[in-house]
Structure formats: structure tokens, C-alpha cells
Amino acid sequence: MDVLKKVPVREQDAKVRATNFDEVCLGYNLEEAMGEASRCINCKNAQCVKGCPVAIDIPGFIEKVKTGDIEEAYQIISKASALPAVCGRVCPQESQCEGKCIRGIKGDPVSIGKLERFVADWARENGIKPVGATEKKGKKVAVIGSGPAGLTCAGDLAKMGYDVTIFEALHEAGGVLVYGIPEFRLPKEAVVAKEIENVKALGVKIETNVVVGKAVTIDELIEEEGFSAVFIGSGAGLPKFMGIPGENSNGVFSANEYLTRSNLMKAFDENSNTPIMHGKKVAVVGGGNVAMDAARTALRLGAEVHIVYRRSEEELPARVEEVHHAKEEGIIFDLLTNPTEIIADENGWVTGMKCIKMELGEPDESGRRRPVEVADSEFVMELDTVIMSLGTSPNPLISSTTEGLKVNKWKCIVADEADGKTTKEGVYAGGDAVTGAATVILAMGAGKAAAKGIDEYLSNK
């Protein structure tokens, strides 16, 4: 075995997987996992832990995998993470734990994410559950939203002994894990539902179809329902658009709507009653992970799919793995290209999109080179569906119905990064509702920090 090289991970063949919604990556078996774990040099000053937003004891769990003690490896991970099977699949490990792995200086970093996934999957298949609280605190905490921030905060508080209830607006728990990430990246019943069951096994109650701000307000939860503290982890589900002519035409979707129809409402399944556009030629505008998810979903629904992005491949914000998979499957990348107008027929249906070519100029405030239009480079792309994947912002419903809760100019809730404390006493917030759209693991880190903040607040109250 070459210790400088990762143990390769088995995947579905690109041509086969482009026609189905089964999971792309097949993961490690026990022998492969133990082989990959043996590459870890068990650093004393482990940089990988510093790169993990929820501070998993990475050398500790990998050491257990080396010896084949997978149950103990799982318990080590679950002390820090409520969603290891999710994180092992969707975390950007290359820029976090694996990005800091010392082994990566002279070779490939250890496949920490794939090992985490293996451990979590093994625990699920063998009925292993995380360890709950031994003593109860006798205090109630409300958590708004059952996405990664809410589930993490709820799980940590339950382990501390609090009586936790999650209020979820949709009919199914999971937040972005169920409505935003496709089945081929994150299986819903096999993985997400089981992770949520583990959180419930800690004693967390989940009430679905409760829109906080309409059915009940935060003030009512505290003053009438007896909750001692509230965590807001409601995410950022309000889509952004370009504001170009023709954007209201039939056949233009936000990535949020398109993915929700497919992922949460099972529109990809021919037995589903949920309609979805089966375009023949689809343009996805944007270059992030959500854009890749929407593009790869449209491809599986039978379309020729183009990613339209105004910068170059070097500036694509999506994970390298997601871009690689999209290319393998046949997604076409129209880079340094920007839409200027959507064209529709007399009945209002999309027939094309006017675009202009771009070139990269000086860096902007984000540090990326600013795209500049190339003169006389306009052209029309013929298509029948456009999916806008330009980011999302928080829904202002909660902040507008809660007195004393400060928001910034982007309608994000203002909260302390260290402990999630907001401007309203007893109310904490974290994840996309505070930062705007970000990653699953960063939302989990915020939920974890807020759970600690809530515990300190209630312990001193």
C-alpha cells in the first residue's frame, strides 16, 4: 500500500448514474476504511480538528477505525456531531479538516470525510445509537427549524438534559437536507431520516407544519408556552433573482423551487403527483454547489444541461468534487458568460436567453477578479428552461414578528458568532438565518455554539 495515496472510493459509473437518482459515491467497506485509517499519523497537535467547525476528535475516531472498533469510533464522533452520515457526504472537507491534514503536505490527505461516512453508516446498519443525557435539567428550549443548525443545537441541548422541541414549517423534518440536496448526493430515507431518528432518540420532540411567526410567535413560545430559551435556525430559503427582462416567463425557476419539487416532493419519481419541468435544454445560472445540484438533477430528468457562470472555472464556488462529477456526467460549462435577458414566445414560455461574454478584470471586494463585459459579444442561447441559482436570503417572517430582534440590511438576524446570542434576551440564532446561505457544517457549528450559549444562559439565570 502506498501511504502517500488515498484508498480509492468506489463510485457508480458516470454514464449509468446520469440516468438514475441512486447515490453516486458507494463509500468504503471495512477493509478499505481500515486501510485508509492506517495512513493517519496521529499528530499530537492535530490541525484537522482545528479545521472542523464542530471540533470532532478526528485522530481519536480514526485510531479506533484502525483497530476495527467502529462502535467506539462512532461514539467519539457523535459526542461532537449530530449528523455524521450527512457530514461525511456533503461537507467541504477539502477546505476544512482534510485541507489541514499534515499527511497532505507530501501526498494525499487522509480521507477523513469518507471515514466519517463509513463509521456513521456502519453504526446505522448495526443499530448503534448516540449516548443521551443521564440527568434532566427541567427546562424547556424551543428550536425553530429542523435543518443542520436546528438539529445540532437540539441534539446538544438534549445531551445536556434539556427538554427540547423543534418547530418545523414544512411537513417533513430536515430542512435543507431534505429539500435542497439531491437524493444522489444524500439519500433521504436511508441517511437523513435515520440521522433525525437518532436526534429524536436523545429525547428531542419535532412538531412539523408549524410556521413560527404565523401559527405562533417567539414571544408566545416564551410567555405562554413556558420555553426558557429559543434558538432560531430557520435557514435562508428566500431565493434571489437577477432582475433581468423576461425573468417572470414560464419555465424560469429558482434552484430552491426546482430542487424542493424534486427532493422533498419526490417529483423525480414517476409515481409522484408533484409536477416538474422536464426541459429538453436547460440553463442553470450560477456556479455554487446548489447550481451543480440543480444541473445534475435536470440532467437525470432527461435534459441537455448548461452551467452559465460569469467567471472562470478557477472562481467556481462549488466543491471540486461536485464540478468533477458534473463534468463526468455530461454537464456543459459555459463559463465567462452572463445572461442579460430571457426570451419567451407569445404564450410566455421560455425559448432562449440572451447572453454576453465576460473577461476577468481587477479583483473585487471578495478577492475574486471582477467579470467585465466583452464588447460586441452578445449571443442567444436556445433553451426551454432556466434555473436561477444565485443564492438565498432569510425569510423575514420571524424577525418581523419578534419584538427586539435586530436584523442587518440583508434581513439576516444579528447574533454573536461565539454563542449565538441575539439582541433579544433568551433568544439565540445561528446558521443561514444569521450568515446567509452557507454550508451544512458551518450551520452545525453555529448550532453547537448556540447550545453552549443557551446552557450558560439558563445555568446562570
Side-chain angles (χ1 to χ4, degrees):
M1 176 179 164
D2 184 353
V3 295
L4 297 181
K5 293 288 184 184
K6 290 181 177 180
V7 173
V9 182
R10 290 162 290 119
E11 295 179 344
Q12 271 201 82
D13 178 81
K15 288 182 180 176
V16 175
R17 70 179 190 243
T19 64
N20 66 52
F21 279 82
D22 297 336
E23 191 168 12
V24 169
C25 179
L26 304 177
Y28 285 144
N29 59 30
L30 178 60
E31 183 184 350
E32 291 163 341
M34 291 176 69
E36 181 60 22
S38 70
R39 297 182 59 241
C40 176
I41 55 178
N42 202 10
C43 309
K44 288 184 179 177
N45 183 20
Q47 297 300 305
C48 54
V49 178
K50 296 177 183 176
C52 175
V54 295
I56 292 170
D57 177 7
I58 294 168
F61 98 76
I62 290 180
E63 190 61 30
K64 295 300 178 183
V65 176
K66 281 183 191 178
T67 62
D69 188 353
I70 311 305
E71 181 172 352
E72 185 56 30
Y74 174 73
Q75 295 302 347
I76 291 171
I77 295 172
S78 65
K79 284 176 186 174
S81 174
L83 306 169
V86 170
C87 290
R89 287 167 165 83
V90 303
C91 269
Q93 288 98 2
E94 66 278 0
S95 61
Q96 293 177 164
C97 53
E98 292 180 21
K100 294 186 179 297
C101 176
I102 300 300
R103 173 64 83 187
I105 294 174
K106 290 186 177 178
D108 294 339
V110 175
S111 290
I112 298 167
K114 297 296 189 289
L115 289 174
E116 181 183 19
R117 168 191 164 145
F118 166 76
V119 170
D121 287 356
W122 183 95
R124 182 182 69 247
E125 289 159 9
N126 287 277
I128 309 300
K129 298 287 184 184
V131 177
T134 53
E135 294 182 19
K136 298 295 183 183
K137 294 279 179 71
K139 291 179 181 177
K140 289 168 59 180
V141 180
V143 171
I144 302 169
S146 64
L151 289 169
T152 298
C153 186
D156 277 18
L157 287 168
K159 287 175 190 173
M160 295 173 192
Y162 291 98
D163 181 358
V164 186
T165 302
I166 296 176
F167 296 97
E168 168 57 48
L170 296 176
H171 63 278
E172 193 171 320
V176 70
L177 305 176
V178 293
Y179 74 73
I181 303 175
E183 188 78 12
F184 54 82
R185 276 220 296 141
L186 186 62
K188 305 297 169 270
E189 288 185 22
V191 176
V192 179
K194 297 296 191 296
E195 297 274 70
I196 292 170
E197 285 302 318
N198 282 347
V199 173
K200 289 167 75 173
L202 295 170
V204 174
K205 297 180 283 292
I206 301 178
E207 293 189 23
T208 55
N209 298 308
V210 180
V211 181
V212 175
K214 280 194 176 290
V216 65
T217 65
I218 286 176
D219 291 316
E220 287 168 346
L221 288 172
I222 295 170
E223 294 164 14
E224 299 175 20
E225 301 291 335
F227 287 97
S228 302
V230 176
F231 173 73
I232 304 170
S234 50
L238 198 63
K240 296 177 182 177
F241 288 89
M242 292 186 72
I244 58 176
E247 215 166 17
N248 290 328
S249 302
N250 298 322
V252 178
F253 295 85
S254 70
N256 223 33
E257 178 190 352
Y258 192 80
L259 289 169
T260 299
R261 283 173 180 266
S262 177
N263 301 333
L264 177 64
M265 303 169 79
K266 313 297 182 192
F268 69 84
D269 187 339
E270 59 185 21
N271 296 316
S272 166
N273 292 324
T274 303
I276 195 168
M277 191 88 175
H278 286 256
K280 290 184 177 144
K281 188 172 180 182
V282 176
V284 178
V285 181
N289 289 328
V290 176
M292 300 303 145
D293 286 344
R296 296 171 69 197
T297 297
L299 180 86
R300 284 159 170 76
L301 293 173
E304 175 190 310
V305 185
H306 294 246
I307 290 278
V308 178
Y309 182 62
R310 63 188 186 138
R311 288 183 164 97
S312 70
E313 183 167 346
E314 205 170 289
E315 286 80 28
L316 278 169
R319 291 182 69 190
V320 171
E321 182 179 56
E322 299 309 316
V323 175
H324 170 68
H325 281 156
K327 284 183 172 180
E328 276 190 329
E329 290 165 9
I331 305 287
I332 300 159
F333 283 72
D334 293 310
L335 303 172
L336 291 168
T337 302
N338 203 39
T340 57
E341 181 182 348
I342 292 168
I343 306 164
D345 62 20
E346 63 275 9
N347 296 316
W349 285 93
V350 171
T351 60
M353 185 166 69
K354 285 185 183 177
C355 298
I356 191 165
K357 298 301 290 183
M358 312 293 283
E359 60 186 6
L360 296 179
E362 294 300 312
D364 61 16
E365 58 276 4
S366 71
R368 295 184 298 174
R369 292 171 64 194
R370 189 187 301 276
V372 180
E373 292 184 356
V374 176
D376 303 319
S377 65
E378 294 88 351
F379 68 98
V380 173
M381 184 183 290
E382 292 184 3
L383 40 84
D384 58 14
T385 309
V386 178
I387 301 170
M388 293 291 181
S389 182
L390 307 167
T392 53
S393 59
N395 189 318
L397 178 63
I398 289 174
S399 57
S400 65
T401 57
T402 307
E403 198 172 327
L405 195 64
K406 186 179 178 182
V407 296
N408 62 22
K409 64 180 179 180
W410 297 286
K411 304 297 183 188
C412 294
I413 296 167
V414 175
D416 191 303
E417 187 179 341
D419 63 4
K421 188 183 292 183
T422 71
T423 52
K424 186 176 178 69
E425 185 181 350
V427 178
Y428 292 71
D432 293 3
V434 171
T435 61
T439 61
V440 166
I441 190 64
L442 288 176
M444 290 176 63
K448 195 170 193 64
K452 188 178 177 187
I454 290 168
D455 179 48
E456 288 174 2
Y457 166 70
L458 293 179
S459 297
N460 296 325
K461 191 176 177 183

mmCIF file of all heavy atoms in Angstrom, residues 391-419:
data_model
loop_
_atom_site.group_PDB
_atom_site.id
_atom_site.type_symbol
_atom_site.label_atom_id
_atom_site.label_comp_id
_atom_site.label_asym_id
_atom_site.label_seq_id
_atom_site.Cartn_x
_atom_site.Cartn_y
_atom_site.Cartn_z
ATOM 1 N N GLY A 391 -28.060 32.178 -5.033
ATOM 2 C CA GLY A 391 -28.025 32.345 -3.577
ATOM 3 C C GLY A 391 -29.413 32.598 -3.017
ATOM 4 O O GLY A 391 -30.389 32.771 -3.750
ATOM 5 N N THR A 392 -29.493 32.608 -1.696
ATOM 6 C CA THR A 392 -30.757 32.804 -0.990
ATOM 7 C C THR A 392 -30.534 33.732 0.195
ATOM 8 O O THR A 392 -29.402 33.967 0.615
ATOM 9 C CB THR A 392 -31.324 31.469 -0.475
ATOM 10 O OG1 THR A 392 -30.314 30.810 0.295
ATOM 11 C CG2 THR A 392 -31.776 30.564 -1.611
ATOM 12 N N SER A 393 -31.634 34.252 0.731
ATOM 13 C CA SER A 393 -31.569 35.080 1.931
ATOM 14 C C SER A 393 -32.638 34.609 2.905
ATOM 15 O O SER A 393 -33.564 33.889 2.523
ATOM 16 C CB SER A 393 -31.784 36.555 1.562
ATOM 17 O OG SER A 393 -33.034 36.734 0.932
ATOM 18 N N PRO A 394 -32.529 34.981 4.191
ATOM 19 C CA PRO A 394 -33.515 34.521 5.168
ATOM 20 C C PRO A 394 -34.899 35.113 4.911
ATOM 21 O O PRO A 394 -35.028 36.257 4.478
ATOM 22 C CB PRO A 394 -32.954 35.040 6.503
ATOM 23 C CG PRO A 394 -31.514 35.282 6.249
ATOM 24 C CD PRO A 394 -31.423 35.700 4.815
ATOM 25 N N ASN A 395 -35.924 34.318 5.191
ATOM 26 C CA ASN A 395 -37.296 34.812 5.149
ATOM 27 C C ASN A 395 -37.492 35.756 6.335
ATOM 28 O O ASN A 395 -37.208 35.382 7.475
ATOM 29 C CB ASN A 395 -38.259 33.625 5.244
ATOM 30 C CG ASN A 395 -39.703 34.035 4.999
ATOM 31 O OD1 ASN A 395 -40.158 35.072 5.474
ATOM 32 N ND2 ASN A 395 -40.416 33.213 4.257
ATOM 33 N N PRO A 396 -37.983 36.988 6.100
ATOM 34 C CA PRO A 396 -38.085 37.962 7.198
ATOM 35 C C PRO A 396 -39.266 37.742 8.142
ATOM 36 O O PRO A 396 -39.475 38.540 9.059
ATOM 37 C CB PRO A 396 -38.229 39.294 6.448
ATOM 38 C CG PRO A 396 -38.865 38.937 5.144
ATOM 39 C CD PRO A 396 -38.356 37.568 4.799
ATOM 40 N N LEU A 397 -40.037 36.662 7.956
ATOM 41 C CA LEU A 397 -41.248 36.458 8.751
ATOM 42 C C LEU A 397 -40.958 36.426 10.253
ATOM 43 O O LEU A 397 -41.634 37.102 11.041
ATOM 44 C CB LEU A 397 -41.940 35.159 8.331
ATOM 45 C CG LEU A 397 -43.204 34.775 9.116
ATOM 46 C CD1 LEU A 397 -44.291 35.820 8.936
ATOM 47 C CD2 LEU A 397 -43.702 33.401 8.685
ATOM 48 N N ILE A 398 -39.950 35.666 10.662
ATOM 49 C CA ILE A 398 -39.666 35.542 12.099
ATOM 50 C C ILE A 398 -39.185 36.865 12.683
ATOM 51 O O ILE A 398 -39.671 37.320 13.715
ATOM 52 C CB ILE A 398 -38.636 34.420 12.348
ATOM 53 C CG1 ILE A 398 -39.282 33.061 12.093
ATOM 54 C CG2 ILE A 398 -38.097 34.476 13.776
ATOM 55 C CD1 ILE A 398 -38.331 31.888 12.163
ATOM 56 N N SER A 399 -38.238 37.508 11.998
ATOM 57 C CA SER A 399 -37.693 38.761 12.536
ATOM 58 C C SER A 399 -38.747 39.866 12.576
ATOM 59 O O SER A 399 -38.759 40.699 13.481
ATOM 60 C CB SER A 399 -36.485 39.216 11.712
ATOM 61 O OG SER A 399 -36.823 39.362 10.353
ATOM 62 N N SER A 400 -39.667 39.851 11.615
ATOM 63 C CA SER A 400 -40.689 40.910 11.565
ATOM 64 C C SER A 400 -41.795 40.706 12.597
ATOM 65 O O SER A 400 -42.568 41.625 12.873
ATOM 66 C CB SER A 400 -41.299 40.998 10.163
ATOM 67 O OG SER A 400 -42.015 39.812 9.852
ATOM 68 N N THR A 401 -41.894 39.508 13.171
ATOM 69 C CA THR A 401 -42.941 39.241 14.165
ATOM 70 C C THR A 401 -42.369 39.082 15.572
ATOM 71 O O THR A 401 -43.063 38.643 16.476
ATOM 72 C CB THR A 401 -43.730 37.967 13.793
ATOM 73 O OG1 THR A 401 -42.819 36.861 13.682
ATOM 74 C CG2 THR A 401 -44.485 38.143 12.486
ATOM 75 N N THR A 402 -41.083 39.426 15.736
ATOM 76 C CA THR A 402 -40.441 39.282 17.048
ATOM 77 C C THR A 402 -39.898 40.635 17.496
ATOM 78 O O THR A 402 -38.957 41.161 16.898
ATOM 79 C CB THR A 402 -39.291 38.255 16.979
ATOM 80 O OG1 THR A 402 -39.778 37.040 16.421
ATOM 81 C CG2 THR A 402 -38.729 37.977 18.361
ATOM 82 N N GLU A 403 -40.481 41.166 18.542
ATOM 83 C CA GLU A 403 -40.062 42.474 19.039
ATOM 84 C C GLU A 403 -38.679 42.386 19.685
ATOM 85 O O GLU A 403 -38.381 41.458 20.439
ATOM 86 C CB GLU A 403 -41.077 42.980 20.078
ATOM 87 C CG GLU A 403 -40.984 44.474 20.324
ATOM 88 C CD GLU A 403 -42.120 44.977 21.200
ATOM 89 O OE1 GLU A 403 -43.234 44.414 21.110
ATOM 90 O OE2 GLU A 403 -41.872 45.908 21.971
ATOM 91 N N GLY A 404 -37.817 43.341 19.319
ATOM 92 C CA GLY A 404 -36.491 43.406 19.935
ATOM 93 C C GLY A 404 -35.427 42.576 19.258
ATOM 94 O O GLY A 404 -34.295 42.495 19.746
ATOM 95 N N LEU A 405 -35.752 41.950 18.124
ATOM 96 C CA LEU A 405 -34.795 41.116 17.397
ATOM 97 C C LEU A 405 -34.195 41.935 16.251
ATOM 98 O O LEU A 405 -34.887 42.283 15.302
ATOM 99 C CB LEU A 405 -35.494 39.866 16.861
ATOM 100 C CG LEU A 405 -34.612 38.719 16.378
ATOM 101 C CD1 LEU A 405 -33.787 38.128 17.510
ATOM 102 C CD2 LEU A 405 -35.466 37.630 15.738
ATOM 103 N N LYS A 406 -32.921 42.228 16.342
ATOM 104 C CA LYS A 406 -32.273 43.085 15.347
ATOM 105 C C LYS A 406 -31.837 42.280 14.127
ATOM 106 O O LYS A 406 -31.340 41.161 14.247
ATOM 107 C CB LYS A 406 -31.055 43.765 15.982
ATOM 108 C CG LYS A 406 -30.383 44.809 15.087
ATOM 109 C CD LYS A 406 -29.204 45.463 15.805
ATOM 110 C CE LYS A 406 -28.504 46.470 14.889
ATOM 111 N NZ LYS A 406 -27.320 47.066 15.566
ATOM 112 N N VAL A 407 -32.028 42.866 12.939
ATOM 113 C CA VAL A 407 -31.540 42.267 11.692
ATOM 114 C C VAL A 407 -30.645 43.273 10.977
ATOM 115 O O VAL A 407 -30.717 44.478 11.236
ATOM 116 C CB VAL A 407 -32.700 41.828 10.762
ATOM 117 C CG1 VAL A 407 -33.535 40.739 11.397
ATOM 118 C CG2 VAL A 407 -33.571 43.011 10.377
ATOM 119 N N ASN A 408 -29.807 42.776 10.056
ATOM 120 C CA ASN A 408 -28.963 43.684 9.285
ATOM 121 C C ASN A 408 -29.633 44.031 7.956
ATOM 122 O O ASN A 408 -30.790 43.660 7.716
ATOM 123 C CB ASN A 408 -27.563 43.088 9.076
ATOM 124 C CG ASN A 408 -27.593 41.776 8.284
ATOM 125 O OD1 ASN A 408 -28.534 41.502 7.551
ATOM 126 N ND2 ASN A 408 -26.551 40.962 8.439
ATOM 127 N N LYS A 409 -28.925 44.720 7.082
ATOM 128 C CA LYS A 409 -29.536 45.203 5.826
ATOM 129 C C LYS A 409 -29.918 44.069 4.877
ATOM 130 O O LYS A 409 -30.702 44.267 3.955
ATOM 131 C CB LYS A 409 -28.593 46.187 5.124
ATOM 132 C CG LYS A 409 -27.277 45.595 4.655
ATOM 133 C CD LYS A 409 -26.422 46.668 3.981
ATOM 134 C CE LYS A 409 -25.092 46.106 3.516
ATOM 135 N NZ LYS A 409 -24.260 47.141 2.860
ATOM 136 N N TRP A 410 -29.357 42.863 5.111
ATOM 137 C CA TRP A 410 -29.710 41.703 4.267
ATOM 138 C C TRP A 410 -30.828 40.868 4.904
ATOM 139 O O TRP A 410 -31.113 39.767 4.445
ATOM 140 C CB TRP A 410 -28.478 40.827 4.040
ATOM 141 C CG TRP A 410 -27.392 41.539 3.300
ATOM 142 C CD1 TRP A 410 -27.357 41.848 1.971
ATOM 143 C CD2 TRP A 410 -26.180 42.050 3.870
ATOM 144 N NE1 TRP A 410 -26.198 42.525 1.667
ATOM 145 C CE2 TRP A 410 -25.454 42.669 2.802
ATOM 146 C CE3 TRP A 410 -25.636 42.067 5.145
ATOM 147 C CZ2 TRP A 410 -24.212 43.280 3.003
ATOM 148 C CZ3 TRP A 410 -24.403 42.678 5.343
ATOM 149 C CH2 TRP A 410 -23.711 43.271 4.290
ATOM 150 N N LYS A 411 -31.446 41.393 5.969
ATOM 151 C CA LYS A 411 -32.518 40.710 6.709
ATOM 152 C C LYS A 411 -32.017 39.486 7.473
ATOM 153 O O LYS A 411 -32.805 38.623 7.866
ATOM 154 C CB LYS A 411 -33.682 40.290 5.780
ATOM 155 C CG LYS A 411 -34.284 41.434 4.977
ATOM 156 C CD LYS A 411 -34.909 42.479 5.875
ATOM 157 C CE LYS A 411 -35.571 43.588 5.060
ATOM 158 N NZ LYS A 411 -36.013 44.710 5.916
ATOM 159 N N CYS A 412 -30.691 39.393 7.652
ATOM 160 C CA CYS A 412 -30.126 38.327 8.474
ATOM 161 C C CYS A 412 -30.196 38.750 9.942
ATOM 162 O O CYS A 412 -29.968 39.918 10.271
ATOM 163 C CB CYS A 412 -28.668 38.069 8.095
ATOM 164 S SG CYS A 412 -28.445 37.413 6.429
ATOM 165 N N ILE A 413 -30.491 37.794 10.817
ATOM 166 C CA ILE A 413 -30.572 38.087 12.247
ATOM 167 C C ILE A 413 -29.171 38.382 12.787
ATOM 168 O O ILE A 413 -28.212 37.675 12.474
ATOM 169 C CB ILE A 413 -31.197 36.897 13.001
ATOM 170 C CG1 ILE A 413 -32.648 36.682 12.534
ATOM 171 C CG2 ILE A 413 -31.161 37.113 14.514
ATOM 172 C CD1 ILE A 413 -33.248 35.368 12.971
ATOM 173 N N VAL A 414 -29.064 39.424 13.572
ATOM 174 C CA VAL A 414 -27.776 39.787 14.176
ATOM 175 C C VAL A 414 -27.579 38.932 15.429
ATOM 176 O O VAL A 414 -28.394 38.972 16.359
ATOM 177 C CB VAL A 414 -27.744 41.290 14.539
ATOM 178 C CG1 VAL A 414 -26.455 41.631 15.289
ATOM 179 C CG2 VAL A 414 -27.870 42.133 13.278
ATOM 180 N N ALA A 415 -26.510 38.141 15.434
ATOM 181 C CA ALA A 415 -26.229 37.250 16.567
ATOM 182 C C ALA A 415 -24.733 37.154 16.778
ATOM 183 O O ALA A 415 -23.943 37.255 15.829
ATOM 184 C CB ALA A 415 -26.815 35.859 16.315
ATOM 185 N N ASP A 416 -24.323 36.928 18.027
ATOM 186 C CA ASP A 416 -22.918 36.787 18.373
ATOM 187 C C ASP A 416 -22.379 35.480 17.798
ATOM 188 O O ASP A 416 -22.968 34.416 18.000
ATOM 189 C CB ASP A 416 -22.769 36.793 19.899
ATOM 190 C CG ASP A 416 -21.319 36.925 20.340
ATOM 191 O OD1 ASP A 416 -20.504 36.075 19.928
ATOM 192 O OD2 ASP A 416 -21.015 37.859 21.100
ATOM 193 N N GLU A 417 -21.271 35.552 17.094
ATOM 194 C CA GLU A 417 -20.702 34.357 16.451
ATOM 195 C C GLU A 417 -20.269 33.316 17.479
ATOM 196 O O GLU A 417 -20.344 32.117 17.242
ATOM 197 C CB GLU A 417 -19.501 34.764 15.593
ATOM 198 C CG GLU A 417 -18.945 33.628 14.745
ATOM 199 C CD GLU A 417 -17.776 34.070 13.882
ATOM 200 O OE1 GLU A 417 -17.620 35.287 13.651
ATOM 201 O OE2 GLU A 417 -17.021 33.195 13.441
ATOM 202 N N ALA A 418 -19.830 33.783 18.649
ATOM 203 C CA ALA A 418 -19.285 32.866 19.649
ATOM 204 C C ALA A 418 -20.352 32.031 20.340
ATOM 205 O O ALA A 418 -20.128 30.858 20.654
ATOM 206 C CB ALA A 418 -18.494 33.651 20.694
ATOM 207 N N ASP A 419 -21.533 32.632 20.604
ATOM 208 C CA ASP A 419 -22.552 31.892 21.355
ATOM 209 C C ASP A 419 -23.969 32.022 20.805
ATOM 210 O O ASP A 419 -24.911 31.491 21.390
ATOM 211 C CB ASP A 419 -22.536 32.305 22.829
ATOM 212 C CG ASP A 419 -22.898 33.779 23.035
ATOM 213 O OD1 ASP A 419 -23.225 34.460 22.046
ATOM 214 O OD2 ASP A 419 -22.849 34.245 24.196
#
